Every structure is written in C-alpha cells, then in structure tokens.
Amino acid sequence: MKAPITMLLALVLIAFAPSSRAAEEFKGNWTISKSSQPGEVQFGLLYRRNGGHSQSESDWKVSEFQGLDLAAAGKHDVKFNITRDAGRIDCEGYIKDGEGAGVFRFIADAQFPKAMSTLGFTGIDDEMQFAMAVHDVSLEFAKAIKAEKLSGVTTDMLLAFRIHGVTPQFIREIRAAGLTADDADKLVQLKLADVL
C-alpha cells in the first residue's frame, strides 16, 4: 500500500512543480462560486508557469477573503486577499450574484522558509511555498504535527497531511481507537481509506 501513497504524493508535487525554476512572479486566475456548505464558497486557482500549470478548487471559508463583500448586488469589481503564513494571495476581478473570476498574484513571506526550517521542515522552494499557502500549511500546523512525534514527516509529507486532512485530532482519534499511529505514510493511508 506504500507505493500508491508515494505515487499520489509525487503527482501532487509534480502539479505544483513545473520543470523550470526561472525566477518570476507567481500569478494566475481565480474563480469563485457558491458552496453547499454554510459560510463557505468554492474557490479555484489556476496557476501557470513556464509551460507548467496546476489547478486547485475546494471549499474555503468566506472569512478568509479579506476585503470581499459577497452580499453586494449586481456585477461589481472586487479586490481582496488571502493572508497565510506562507504568503499573501492578492486577487482582483469581478463578482455577480456570488460568482466571479479574476486574476491573482502571490507574494511569498520571505521569513516562512526559515521559520519552517527551525522546525525541521527544509527544502521549501518557490513552488512548495506557493502550494503551502494554497493549502494553508501554517507554522501552527507544522508545530502540532511535529509534537505528535511521528516517523517519516518530511516537508513533502507535511503538505500531503494538509491536503488529505491528516490533523492532530485525526491522529489522536486513530490512537484512541487502538490503532498504531506513528508512521506518516500509514496515517495518510488510513485517512484515504476513511478509517474513521
């Protein structure tokens, strides 16, 4: 079962790591639409760089969008941002009846890689930092996972934990159920298998 998890993680990283590493601004397109979840919206990001691209769409809390008013009537221009430990995503575009689209620019937090490195999570390049901002891999999350004293928690695996929903609470629930929860790869397998 370990091979499929490793393959899945590799595909996630490929999506966020185009082959060329030329220094340029991170930018792309965003979309927003209504969600069936109260207090949330469907938010999508399409990011292109040097011929590569990645796409992400999921439910985000409305409270994360600073400066966005979804209640305003009619079509109107918008400017808002999402601020996370890894950096800030600045967005502009339009909204009409709770749905819209536009462009975004990512401004990386220069201190984030160093702060993560002090926790033992190294090798955070431009693409990894952007992915960590998109999936909200915060310093608090990194500290909480590190405190669980698991084996195999690399920087890549920390991102995989966030993507698949392996949280400290999930780890505690696994342990409370009498299952072994000391290996990072096994925890992702258990989460994907919907054990709890």
Side-chain angles (χ1 to χ4, degrees):
M1 193 72 181
K2 211 165 192 173
I5 297 301
T6 305
M7 177 89 71
L8 180 63
L9 181 57
L11 290 173
V12 167
L13 293 175
I14 286 169
F16 281 98
S19 57
S20 177
R21 291 267 304 124
E24 64 179 271
E25 187 177 56
F26 281 69
K27 55 187 177 180
N29 302 96
W30 62 266
T31 58
I32 200 166
S33 58
K34 295 174 183 175
S35 168
S36 59
Q37 300 299 316
E40 297 186 356
V41 291
Q42 272 279 312
F43 188 63
L45 292 170
L46 176 63
Y47 162 73
R48 298 180 187 89
R49 193 177 188 196
N50 299 321
H53 73 276
S54 66
Q55 187 169 354
S56 170
E57 186 174 58
S58 59
D59 284 342
W60 291 43
K61 294 184 188 312
V62 173
S63 59
E64 293 189 80
F65 299 85
Q66 299 165 10
L68 179 62
D69 180 8
L70 290 170
K75 182 177 176 180
H76 58 282
D77 293 339
V78 293
K79 277 190 177 183
F80 60 93
N81 66 67
I82 301 118
T83 302
R84 290 181 164 169
D85 286 356
R88 192 179 75 239
I89 303 169
D90 287 342
C91 303
E92 59 181 279
Y94 74 92
I95 296 278
K96 182 181 180 182
D97 300 327
E99 301 196 354
V103 295
F104 78 85
R105 183 169 64 107
F106 175 63
I107 297 109
D109 185 314
Q111 300 305 313
F112 181 75
K114 184 178 179 181
M116 290 292 279
S117 180
T118 63
L119 296 173
F121 299 106
T122 58
I124 298 176
D125 60 14
D126 296 347
E127 287 82 7
M128 175 65 81
Q129 189 163 347
F130 175 66
M132 287 182 152
V134 170
H135 295 287
D136 197 16
V137 180
S138 65
L139 293 169
E140 181 183 347
F141 180 73
K143 287 175 187 174
I145 293 299
K146 188 174 178 67
E148 296 297 331
K149 303 190 183 317
L150 306 168
S151 64
V153 184
T154 62
T155 304
D156 293 343
M157 189 58 76
L158 186 68
L159 176 60
F161 271 24
R162 198 61 165 159
I163 290 170
H164 298 297
V166 178
T167 63
Q169 180 181 344
F170 174 76
I171 296 167
R172 288 191 292 272
E173 289 172 355
I174 287 290
R175 289 172 174 161
L179 299 170
T180 303
D182 56 7
D183 178 75
D185 199 58
K186 183 176 179 183
L187 282 164
V188 175
Q189 292 176 36
L190 291 170
K191 186 65 177 176
L192 290 173
D194 201 21
V195 170
L196 293 176

